[in-house]
Amino acid sequence: MRFSDINGNADTLKALSGMISSGRIPHALMFIEPDGGPAFSVAMAYLQRLYCHSGTAEDSCGECPSCNRVGKLIHPDIHFVFPTTSGQSSVSLMPQFRALALENPRFTEAELGAALGIDSKSSLIPVAEAREVLSQLSLSALEGGWRSVVIYLPEKMNQEAANRLLKAIEEPEPQTEFILITHSPEKVLQTVASRCQRLQLGAPVKAPEFDQPELLDDLMDAIVRRDLYDALEAGERISALPSRESAKAFCKYASDAMRNVFLAQQKMTLAQTVSGNAAAWAPKLHKSFARGALAALDNANRMVERNVNMKIIFADLANKLYRING
Ligand SMILES: [Zn+2]
C-alpha cells in the first residue's frame, strides 16, 4: 500500500509523509475513523514509507523487499494487536486477520469478527496481549530499523492491558512506534489517548438514515439550558416515534452526534470540522457529558430492543442526560 493508492484525506497523508521526511516521527499515533474507514490502509501506507529503503520524500517505492513485506503484512518488525475472545490471541488469529485485511483493507468490526470466527461485540484486548507486545518489543528489531505495533480498536483494551502498554507509550524505546486505530476515541483510556498524536480520517461520523434531527436538537437545547421540563417534553416526543426501528435509529443518530461532541471538546479534529450542532453544544456541556450520554443511549437502545415501554425509556434518557450535565 502506497500513499498514492489512497483516495481522499490528502491533508492527512501530506502531514504523515512530512513527519517521516522531516524525521519528526511521533512515538504514538492515533487514527480516528468511522467503522469501515480508511485508517488501516493509511497506517500501512505510512509504515511502508517508514520502512522503505528507496522511496521519495512523498511516498514509498512499492518495490523494495521492505515494501514487499510491509505490503503483505509479514514484516517481522510490525506487530498487530486486535480484539479476540478468550482462548484466542492476535498471534494465533493473525493468518485470518491478514487474509481479510489484504482482501479488504476497509473491513468493518463485524467483518473482522466474522473472519476471525468470533463475536465482535464481546471481543476484547486482554492483558496477555499487552504482555506479548512488550516481550516482542524487548527483542531488538530483526531488520535493524523501526519496530511498530498496530493496535486495532484500543477502546477494547481492558484497564489492565491499557495500563501495561501505557508505560511503553510514555517512555518509548528509540525507533519504536505505536499506531492506534479507533472508532470510539471517547472510550480509549484518557491517559493513553493523551499520549498519542491524533488524526481524524474519513468523514465525521453521521447517520443519514435518521430523518428527524430536530428531535435531538430540541432535547439537547433543553439539556444545554438545564431545563428539565423541556427535556422531558422532548423525550416524550421521541417516544412517539412510529416504530421501535425508528427509535433505534434515533439512538444511533444521537450516539454519533455525541461522538462529535466529544471530538469537538477534545479538539481532536485536524482536516475535518465537526458537523452539525455538535460543535455548538460542545462548549456548553460538561467535559464528561459525551461519555455519560453514550452509555445512557446504549442503555436506551437495549431497552428499545427489549420492548420496554417507549415513554419510560425516553423519559429516563432525558432525565439522565439532564443529570449528567449537572
Ligand atoms: Zn520500498
Side-chain angles (χ1 to χ4, degrees), residues 134 137 163-173 176 178:
L134 296 177
L137 289 180
N163 283 334
R164 284 267 177 148
L165 283 178
L166 182 60
K167 201 165 154 48
I169 295 174
E170 274 179 331
E171 298 163 21
E173 298 287 329
T176 299
F178 286 87

Side-chain angles (χ1 to χ4, degrees), residues 48-49 51-55 59-68:
Q48 189 165 310
R49 170 67 192 85
Y51 284 75
C52 178
H53 294 308
S54 54
D59 214 340
S60 57
C61 75
E63 288 165 1
C64 70
S66 270
C67 280
N68 193 24

Side-chain angles (χ1 to χ4, degrees), residues 208-221:
E209 66 272 26
F210 188 72
D211 59 2
Q212 288 175 264
E214 67 279 7
L215 289 175
L216 179 65
D217 291 349
D218 291 350
L219 175 60
M220 289 305 298
D221 285 345

Side-chain angles (χ1 to χ4, degrees), residues 106-119:
R106 278 180 173 247
F107 57 88
T108 62
E109 293 183 34
E111 285 164 348
L112 178 62
L116 302 181
I118 62 174
D119 175 11

